[in-house]
Amino acid sequence: MACATFTPSSSCLKLLNSNHKNNYKSKCFQFQKSFVSLNNHCFPVGPHLSISSNRHSTPPSLSVFNGFNCFTQKSEPSVSVDARTTAEERVVVLVVGGGGREHALCHALKRSPSCDAVFCAPGNAGISTSGDATCIPDLDILDSSAVISFCRQWGVGLVVVGPEAPLVSGLANNLVKAGIPTFGPSSEAAALEGSKTFMKSLCDKYNIPTAKYKTFTDPSAAKEYILEQGAPIVIKADGLAAGKGVIVALKLEEAYEAVDSMLVKNVFGSAGCRVIVEEFLEGEEASFFALVDGENAIPLESAQDHKRVGDGDTGPNTGGMGAYSPAPILTKELQSMVMESIIHPTVKGMSAEGYKFVGVLYAGLMIEKKSGLPKLIEYNVRFGDPECQVLMVRLESDLAQVLLAACRGELTRVTLEWSPGSAMVVVMASKGYPGSFEKGTVIQNLEEAELVAPSVKIFHAGTALDSDGNFIATGGRVLGITATGKDLEEARDRAYQAVEEINWPGGFYRQDIGWRALPQKLFATER
């Protein structure tokens, strides 16, 4: 590997001189040979980003400048994973993706005592300006060779893949083949999300409880089956459709339209060339996450999101308008049941099929109203968004070491630690979402919003900076205003106080996040 220059760039010097007091400067420049310049940011050279032949020359207690913050690395981890925090275990991490989920992962990794630095590709304006990671906007995350080259150049010791598209395209396969530890499943294992037919077939074979279904490529046959089953009924595109490929049809006509849109009009392209017609399950939805190392799985804390765009869970489905953790509906007894009847059989089944799964399994569940038992609606093969935001602000373990343990097949030695209390995220979206919406609207007062309470953190999902340095909206779901509290009510109050500070005429948000878990009087007084 070519040696990187260890002279801080002029912009690094300017940042240090303008933003940090003399005592911090002296500590940073005491080890100036441990810095390199990348995209005009100071970057610490750890044991995996060597500037000489001695790969372990950087002291683990070194004061480093990471992004925009100079801080002293802790010598002890805040994680129960039997992790070693010697120089050999320190790691540089690349997070792949650029949404709110990736911002939350960068934020958690930055807090990891064993993490020397965090890159994010492509990242977004909020990730970069917050100092949670050094963003690499020009790195093509669908080009495996480019990602591998970057990892080798900068000594990346762990890649965390956020979105599903690079996973389905085989990014994890190629990274692992190149010897780079990667948290995320192979393209074959990612078929759990990439093909609903594959997932359903696995459920059939390994007795995993799910909704009754049939698969169709012929629209007439699909409509005939729908007529036999009656409405309400669910129509799903088989492949990835950016969260828009599921139609809950309350009437037969709506179901027929959904079939035609996918199989005749081809609105989802190849993702909709095959459809799943599924029974409608009545109950309460919940999100369940488990880390998987190929053979073993451990659950994360519970969380629940809000898919519908409007208050009271009305309107079309979205990528998620808010979430909270923990979710009261997922009792300890129910969580154990999900692990035994859904997660473990899936992990063992994938291994038996020759597709060992390494990454996070996100099970979308329906807790049936009649039986009170969980059924699997769908699998995602990555952290949910916005559930990831509330999970990451509650996680107290060293995330870098936890994910490395998963990559190494060592999850049996991991015990996750979580903060007490609750967390909530309220998503602010561009007006018109999930339909057409205007891009480029200006967002102001974000700094003031984060000062509402020490527990408030704003995660950016779709923002950029205009020529005047203002944040502008570039996507549908744009911000995730997240807060923690001693209970869900306090977390909610803090999150909505922060939302009210934000000046964004072009945005909107749901006012009832957490309504299933909170006293109804809280919402009745606001309407």
Side-chain angles (χ1 to χ4, degrees):
M1 181 181 78
C3 293
T5 176
F6 54 76
T7 303
S9 68
S10 59
S11 57
C12 287
L13 292 169
K14 185 177 179 181
L15 277 168
L16 282 166
N17 286 323
S18 61
N19 293 346
H20 299 284
K21 295 183 179 180
N22 289 335
N23 63 327
Y24 278 92
K25 283 197 293 180
S26 63
K27 290 179 181 178
C28 286
F29 282 97
Q30 180 181 351
F31 293 98
Q32 63 176 327
K33 289 187 178 182
S34 295
F35 293 90
V36 295
S37 174
L38 176 66
N39 289 355
N40 294 321
H41 294 299
C42 286
F43 185 74
V45 178
H48 300 285
L49 193 63
S50 181
I51 59 173
S52 70
S53 60
N54 181 3
R55 293 182 56 83
H56 307 299
S57 59
T58 305
S61 60
L62 168 65
S63 293
V64 296
F65 185 81
N66 184 3
F68 294 100
N69 298 296
C70 189
F71 65 94
T72 301
Q73 293 284 359
K74 299 175 184 178
S75 59
E76 294 297 328
S78 59
V79 58
S80 298
V81 308
D82 188 28
R84 299 171 297 279
T85 53
T86 62
E88 290 81 7
E89 280 298 308
R90 306 195 63 76
V91 65
V92 173
V93 183
L94 170 64
V95 175
V96 173
R101 165 185 51 228
E102 289 75 35
H103 192 175
L105 289 168
C106 289
H107 180 64
L109 286 163
K110 180 189 170 184
R111 302 196 317 269
S112 295
S114 66
C115 187
D116 268 343
V118 186
F119 288 119
C120 187
N124 63 45
I127 295 173
S128 179
T129 57
S130 67
D132 286 325
T134 298
C135 292
I136 316 297
D138 297 329
L139 182 58
D140 184 356
I141 61 175
L142 295 178
D143 182 347
S144 294
S145 61
V147 176
I148 291 168
S149 177
F150 178 87
C151 291
R152 287 175 172 164
Q153 180 181 0
W154 293 99
V156 172
L158 171 65
V159 176
V160 181
V161 185
E164 63 275 19
L167 292 170
V168 173
S169 69
L171 177 60
N173 301 57
N174 295 323
L175 286 166
V176 171
K177 186 177 179 180
I180 300 168
T182 303
F183 183 79
S186 65
S187 59
E188 295 84 2
L192 277 173
E193 179 173 358
S195 170
K196 294 179 179 64
T197 300
F198 176 87
M199 186 213 82
K200 287 287 193 177
S201 299
L202 191 83
C203 289
D204 288 344
K205 186 171 183 179
Y206 293 95
N207 299 314
I208 299 165
T210 187
K212 184 176 70 173
Y213 75 101
K214 275 195 175 182
T215 302
F216 297 93
T217 56
D218 176 57
S220 298
K223 291 176 184 178
E224 185 177 336
Y225 179 74
I226 289 167
L227 182 61
E228 291 173 4
Q229 300 301 312
I233 199 163
V234 182
I235 316 298
K236 296 180 177 181
D238 178 67
L240 298 176
K244 299 177 181 178
V246 177
I247 309 296
V248 179
L250 301 180
K251 298 179 180 179
L252 290 175
E253 292 75 15
E254 294 173 0
Y256 298 154
E257 279 182 27
V259 168
D260 284 339
S261 69
M262 296 178 195
L263 294 181
V264 179
K265 298 178 182 177
N266 203 31
V267 295
F268 296 123
S270 61
C273 65
R274 185 165 48 188
V275 301
I276 309 294
V277 180
E278 190 176 86
E279 72 170 312
F280 175 81
L281 297 176
E282 187 176 2
E284 187 170 345
E285 289 190 45
S287 304
F288 191 93
F289 299 88
L291 300 181
V292 183
D293 68 5
E295 298 288 350
N296 309 289
I298 58 172
L300 299 181
E301 268 284 10
S302 62
Q304 190 163 9
D305 75 338
H306 298 258
K307 291 294 187 190
R308 301 279 184 164
V309 72
D311 287 0
D313 291 336
T314 58
N317 275 336
T318 70
M321 295 300 295
Y324 54 92
S325 174
I329 190 171
L330 282 170
T331 63
K332 294 298 181 185
E333 180 183 8
L334 200 54
Q335 289 180 57
S336 296
M337 191 181 302
V338 172
M339 288 297 292
E340 291 307 312
S341 66
I342 296 175
I343 301 297
H344 286 316
T346 299
V347 174
K348 293 182 186 304
M350 291 294 285
S351 180
E353 296 297 319
Y355 309 130
K356 283 191 176 184
F357 188 98
V358 175
V360 62
L361 267 180
Y362 164 16
L365 304 175
M366 180 67 74
I367 313 303
E368 278 200 287
K369 187 175 181 179
K370 289 181 181 178
S371 65
L373 299 176
K375 280 189 176 181
L376 179 65
I377 300 174
E378 64 179 2
Y379 266 131
N380 294 319
V381 296
R382 30 68 185 188
F383 286 100
D385 185 346
E387 297 97 330
C388 186
Q389 286 84 315
V390 290
L391 292 173
M392 290 302 105
V393 296
R394 291 193 61 210
L395 182 68
E396 293 188 338
S397 298
D398 184 323
L399 181 61
Q401 288 301 312
V402 169
L403 301 187
L404 278 171
C407 295
R408 296 167 178 165
E410 298 174 354
L411 277 181
T412 53
R413 66 180 180 84
V414 171
T415 302
L416 296 176
E417 295 179 357
W418 303 91
S419 65
S422 300
M424 178 177 287
V425 56
V426 178
V427 170
M428 297 189 75
S430 297
K431 287 182 178 177
Y433 175 80
S436 60
F437 53 85
E438 181 183 356
K439 293 184 178 181
T441 55
V442 176
I443 308 166
Q444 296 177 319
N445 286 9
L446 292 180
E447 289 185 9
E448 292 83 351
E450 279 199 323
L451 294 175
V452 163
S455 68
V456 173
K457 173 68 178 178
I458 297 177
F459 294 112
H460 290 239
T463 63
L465 293 173
D466 66 12
S467 57
D468 296 320
N470 297 311
F471 282 108
I472 57 173
T474 59
R477 293 184 303 145
V478 177
L479 300 169
I481 291 76
T482 310
T484 57
K486 65 179 184 294
D487 53 29
L488 191 56
E489 188 171 339
E490 183 175 71
R492 173 193 178 276
D493 290 344
R494 289 173 173 177
Y496 276 106
Q497 285 172 20
V499 167
E500 290 167 7
E501 287 290 323
I502 296 172
N503 180 11
W504 182 25
F508 78 99
Y509 57 93
R510 278 184 59 164
Q511 300 182 36
D512 66 343
I513 302 302
W515 71 270
R516 291 182 182 274
L518 287 166
Q520 291 304 299
K521 65 180 181 180
L522 286 176
F523 303 101
T525 57
E526 296 175 353
R527 293 176 178 167

